């Protein structure tokens, strides 16, 4: 790896792999849901390898580098090998609870939208003022990201 590694811009695939790695850390209990949300936001906002590497500096193994397989990914050699007891998969896997696996933007939409709505609801109930539904803005932004990810999913 060169000294310029940190200065190089990252791709959407790098961001998606980072989100998968964060999801694995969440599943293992290394980070909680709030921290996952903060780190995922940082991953989506990162522009360079250095920015993305900072998100993983306190996690074992760090961020997978180019060519490495992220936790939860299957190795390329067995990508076409059938899994035991696996249900047959269509082009889009909207069934069996696996429909969100490759859609980190959708997970972020659900988590961030839910948290923001709960905060708004708590404030609205305590003040009695139900006007100005501000969570619509992060929900709209993440909806656009989800739509783009869904459109690009088959490519």
């Amino acid at each position: 790896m060169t000294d310029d590694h940190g200065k190089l811009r990252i791709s959407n695939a790098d961001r998606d792999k980072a989100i998968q790695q964060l999801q694995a850390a969440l599943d293992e209990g290394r980070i909680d849901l709030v921290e996952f949300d903060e780190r995922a936001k940082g991953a989506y906002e990162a522009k360079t390898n250095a920015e993305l590497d900072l998100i993983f500096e306190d996690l074992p193994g760090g961020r997978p580098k180019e060519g490495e397989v992220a936790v939860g990914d299957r190795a390329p050699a067995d990508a076409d090998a059938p899994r035991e007891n696996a249900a047959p998969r269509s082009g889009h896997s909207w069934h069996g609870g696996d429909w969100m696996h490759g859609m980190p933007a959708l997970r972020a939409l659900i988590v961030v939208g839910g948290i923001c709505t709960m905060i708004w609801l708590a404030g609205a109930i305590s003040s009695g003022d139900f006007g100005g539904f501000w969570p619509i803005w992060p929900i709209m932004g993440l909806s656009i990201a989800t739509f783009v990810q869904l459109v690009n999913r088959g490519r």
Side-chain angles (χ1 to χ4, degrees), residues 13-56:
D14 293 328
R15 289 181 189 91
D16 290 343
K17 190 171 280 198
I19 297 299
Q20 289 175 353
Q21 190 75 7
L22 287 172
Q23 182 66 47
L26 176 66
D27 293 344
E28 293 170 355
R30 296 186 188 280
I31 59 175
D32 61 23
L33 193 55
V34 172
E35 194 171 2
F36 170 81
D37 183 42
E38 291 168 356
R39 290 179 188 228
K41 183 178 182 241
Y44 283 121
E45 293 174 350
K47 292 184 175 121
T48 65
N49 279 310
E51 292 171 352
L52 201 53
D53 288 342
L54 284 174
I55 295 170
F56 293 93

Side-chain angles (χ1 to χ4, degrees), residues 105-117:
L106 181 58
R107 286 194 304 265
L109 171 63
I110 292 168
V111 171
V112 172
I115 290 171
C116 289
T117 301

Side-chain angles (χ1 to χ4, degrees), residues 56-132:
F56 293 93
E57 70 182 355
D58 63 340
L59 294 174
R63 173 178 153 234
K65 303 299 182 232
E66 190 173 329
E68 288 182 8
V69 178
V71 172
D73 284 353
R74 290 172 36 200
D78 70 344
D80 294 325
R83 291 180 280 171
E84 287 185 30
N85 300 327
R89 295 181 61 149
S90 61
H92 289 87
S93 56
W94 299 101
H95 59 282
D98 191 32
W99 58 278
M100 270 199 316
H101 176 69
M103 305 238 355
L106 181 58
R107 286 194 304 265
L109 171 63
I110 292 168
V111 171
V112 172
I115 290 171
C116 289
T117 301
M118 296 295 271
I119 292 169
W120 171 82
L121 187 60
I125 290 172
S126 67
S127 70
D129 180 17
F130 286 87

